[in-house]
Amino acid sequence: MIRTTIIATLLVAAAPAALAEDPEDFIKYRQAVMKAIGGHTGAASQIVRGKVNPEGAIGMHANALAELSKDLTGLFP
């Protein structure tokens, strides 16, 4: 889980550099970020609905979503 958060944070931090790349590559990047957001949202919803109860995981998902959401407008230039 921590690895996913680190990767997601690095992806968001790389967004400005990605704008200089090939448009197809940027589309793939944007799709990956949106998929990461969906993954964290889906996992958090399982916790909120009481389906699973991993210790401390809701905070990790919330933090990852906050980081991933910081520059959503940058994903759609």
Side-chain angles (χ1 to χ4, degrees), residues 4 7-13 15 25-43 61 64-77:
T4 302
I7 291 170
T9 302
L10 291 174
L11 287 173
V12 170
D25 289 335
F26 189 73
I27 289 169
K28 289 176 185 175
Y29 164 77
R30 179 174 51 214
Q31 290 171 337
V33 172
M34 297 306 289
K35 192 176 284 190
I37 289 171
H40 283 289
T41 302
H61 291 298
L65 286 166
E67 288 298 316
L68 288 165
S69 300
K70 280 185 177 177
D71 189 31
L72 283 179
T73 57
L75 292 176
F76 300 93

Side-chain angles (χ1 to χ4, degrees), residues 16-26:
L19 291 174
E21 302 296 325
D22 179 53
E24 287 297 318
D25 289 335
F26 189 73

